[in-house]
Amino acid sequence: MKNFIRLIPVFVLLSACGSAGGPGNGGPGNGGPGNGGAGTVTGQALDAQGKPIAGAKIWVKPVVTTGLYETRTDAGGRYEATGLPPVGYRVLAWAEREYNGQRYCIRLGHEKAEDYSPINPANGAVRNFVLKASGRIEDVELYSDMGYFGGSVSVMDSRHVPARNAPLEFTLTPTGPLIDGKPGKTLTLKPNAEGYLLDVPVGVYKVTAVSLEGGKRTPIKIGNTASSLGAEAKLEFKPSGQSCVGSYGSGLERAYLYWEPSTATPPPTGETQTWDGTVEVNGGNTFYVRYVFTVRQGTEKSSESLYKGDFFQCESPSTNCDKLGWAQGVRQGDTITLITMLTELNASFATDGTFSGDTFFGTTNAVFQGQTATVNLTRQ
C-alpha cells in the first residue's frame, strides 16, 4: 500500500423608471457630471472590484418636504440629479444582482460614514456608492439585528427559544465567493445578548458548532429547522420577499440556525465497532479508511466511553486495507475526539466530531501547518 504513504504528508502537513431627471440632463453650469453645478447631485456606483454598476436605482429624497428625484446609473455607473431646490436631501441607491441562482435587490453603501448624512446641493454635491457584503448601514439605527449590509442569523434551540448569550460557538466556512464577488473567509461567531449572529458577509456557508459549557469544546447538532439537526448545516441568505427599493435595509431575509444538546447514551463496554469511510483533505486527496475499536468504560465520568483500536487505509471502500497505526478516543454522548497515530510515518492527527445515528462526521486538525480534512465514517 504505497499510495497512502506517498500522499499522507499532504494530509499530515496538513431598477429604467420615469424620473424628474436623468443622466445627461444637466449641461455646463447646471450640474453636469463632475462639474458640481448648483442644485445638482452627481456620483458613481461601483462594485467591490471597482467596476461600474449600470442600471442602479438612485433616489434623491428631500428630508423634510415631499417629492422624489429618481434616476438610474448609466453604463459607466454614473448618475446625475439636476434642478434640485436648495433643501436637505438623502441619496440612496439599490442594485439588482444574480447570486446563487436567485435575484437580489441590494442596497448600496456610501464610501464614507459621513456620506450617509443629508446634503444640500445648492453648490453641487457628490455621493458615490459601492456594493458591500457586510458593514454598518449608518442611516439605520441599530435595533436587534437591523442596521447591517451583512446577513443576520437567529439562533434558537429545538424548542424555538433564542440562544441569548448561549455558550455556543459557530464556525462558518464559505463554499464559494461572496455576493460582492470577493472570496469569503472562515468566521467564528457567538450569539449576542439577543441570540443573533450579526453582519455575516452575504454568501453560502457550511456551518458547524460547539458548546463551550463547562470549559469544554463539545460538538453539537445544528440545522436550518428544529427537525433537521445534524453534524453540520448549510447557511444562506434569501432575498427579501418584497422589492427593497425605497427600503433603508439590506434587502435580505433573516436566516435561522437551530441547535440541540446531546442526549445520546454511551455504547456498551466491551463492544467491538468497525467504522468505514473516507478522509478528504482540503488539497483534494481522498483516502478510504477503516477504524476498528473496542469500547471501554471511561475514567472521568460515567457517561464517557474510551475507544481503542487500529487505523487502516484501504484501496477501495472496505477492501484491501493495510494497517498503518492505531487510534484512541473519548466519547461523551454524540461527540468524540480521536487521536490517530501513524506508526510507519511517525505522525499523528486529531479528529473532533459528532455522531448522527451510525454515521460519524468530523474535522481533522493536522499536526503540521494547520491543514484540515473532513472525516466521514459509517459504523458497520
Side-chain angles (χ1 to χ4, degrees), residues 1 69 72 79 87 105 118 132 139 148 194 261 268-269 299 320 331 380:
M1 293 298 299
Y69 192 109
R72 285 183 181 268
Y79 74 93
V87 297
C105 177
K132 296 185 177 183
D139 54 12
Y148 298 94
E194 295 175 316
T269 298
T299 58
N320 299 327
R331 174 176 177 175
Q380 303 304 306

Side-chain angles (χ1 to χ4, degrees), residues 15-352:
S15 162
C17 297
S19 64
N25 290 341
N30 194 29
N35 60 23
T40 299
V41 179
T42 61
Q44 188 177 28
L46 302 175
D47 64 16
Q49 289 72 39
K51 297 180 180 179
I53 300 177
K57 178 71 72 68
I58 308 294
W59 275 20
V60 183
K61 186 176 178 61
V63 175
V64 296
T65 63
T66 60
L68 173 66
Y69 192 109
E70 181 178 10
T71 188
R72 285 183 181 268
T73 56
D74 61 18
R78 298 185 179 278
Y79 74 93
E80 177 184 66
T82 63
L84 300 172
V87 297
Y89 295 86
R90 293 188 184 276
V91 188
L92 301 93
W94 301 266
E96 292 186 353
R97 193 169 186 88
E98 291 284 346
Y99 179 71
N100 196 34
Q102 300 185 85
R103 180 174 291 275
Y104 291 74
C105 177
I106 299 297
R107 184 175 173 191
L108 301 180
H110 287 294
E111 294 179 307
K112 304 184 293 292
E114 55 265 32
D115 288 347
Y116 290 87
S117 299
I119 59 171
N120 189 322
N123 296 317
V126 177
R127 283 293 185 265
N128 295 319
F129 295 93
V130 65
L131 177 66
K132 296 185 177 183
S134 63
R136 279 280 288 120
I137 306 177
E138 296 290 343
D139 54 12
V140 177
E141 292 186 13
L142 287 177
Y143 175 75
S144 297
D145 58 333
M146 307 300 290
Y148 298 94
F149 288 105
S152 64
V153 184
S154 178
V155 181
M156 299 185 179
D157 68 17
S158 55
R159 300 166 299 170
H160 300 270
V161 176
R164 297 184 176 93
N165 282 333
L168 306 175
E169 182 179 275
F170 293 82
T171 299
L172 283 63
T173 304
T175 60
L178 304 178
I179 197 170
D180 61 1
K182 290 184 177 181
K185 297 180 180 179
T186 299
L187 306 173
T188 301
L189 303 172
K190 299 176 182 178
N192 69 358
E194 295 175 316
Y196 292 108
L197 309 180
L198 295 179
D199 197 26
V200 178
V202 183
V204 181
Y205 298 86
K206 180 189 76 173
V207 186
T208 57
V210 296
S211 168
L212 304 177
E213 191 171 1
K216 295 184 178 181
R217 300 179 60 85
T218 306
I220 58 174
K221 289 184 177 182
I222 60 173
N224 300 114
T225 66
S227 60
S228 64
L229 302 178
E232 65 176 55
K234 179 181 179 181
L235 177 66
E236 58 184 324
F237 299 96
K238 303 293 185 181
S240 177
Q242 299 177 352
S243 172
C244 70
V245 173
S247 168
Y248 280 63
S250 64
L252 303 169
E253 289 186 356
R254 180 184 297 147
Y256 291 86
L257 286 173
Y258 292 82
W259 72 284
E260 184 175 64
S262 172
T263 57
T265 57
T269 298
E271 181 181 76
T272 299
Q273 297 183 359
T274 299
W275 303 346
D276 290 330
T278 59
V279 174
E280 183 176 352
V281 185
N282 282 353
N285 295 307
T286 299
F287 306 101
Y288 297 106
V289 298
R290 167 172 282 195
Y291 289 83
V292 179
F293 286 108
T294 299
V295 183
R296 303 179 183 179
Q297 182 63 47
T299 58
E300 294 184 9
K301 296 181 180 180
S302 61
S303 60
E304 290 183 344
S305 298
L306 297 181
Y307 283 68
K308 291 189 177 182
D310 297 321
F311 172 82
F312 299 81
Q313 189 259 337
C314 308
E315 287 188 354
S316 59
S318 307
T319 60
N320 299 327
C321 301
D322 285 351
K323 178 180 176 181
L324 290 184
W326 56 268
Q328 66 179 26
V330 176
R331 174 176 177 175
Q332 184 174 13
D334 280 340
T335 67
I336 192 171
T337 296
L338 297 177
I339 303 296
T340 304
M341 301 293 297
L342 304 180
T343 53
E344 294 187 29
L345 301 172
N346 192 29
S348 66
F349 55 89
T351 302
D352 294 318

Side-chain angles (χ1 to χ4, degrees), residues 4 7-8 10-14 206 208 232 278-287 289 291 349-353 360-376:
F4 185 87
L7 294 177
I8 192 66
V10 177
F11 171 43
V12 176
L13 297 176
L14 305 167
K206 180 189 76 173
T208 57
E232 65 176 55
T278 59
V279 174
E280 183 176 352
V281 185
N282 282 353
N285 295 307
T286 299
F287 306 101
V289 298
Y291 289 83
F349 55 89
T351 302
D352 294 318
F360 170 81
F361 173 88
T363 300
T364 291
N365 297 309
V367 175
F368 304 103
Q369 298 184 0
Q371 293 192 14
T372 61
T374 299
V375 179
N376 284 284

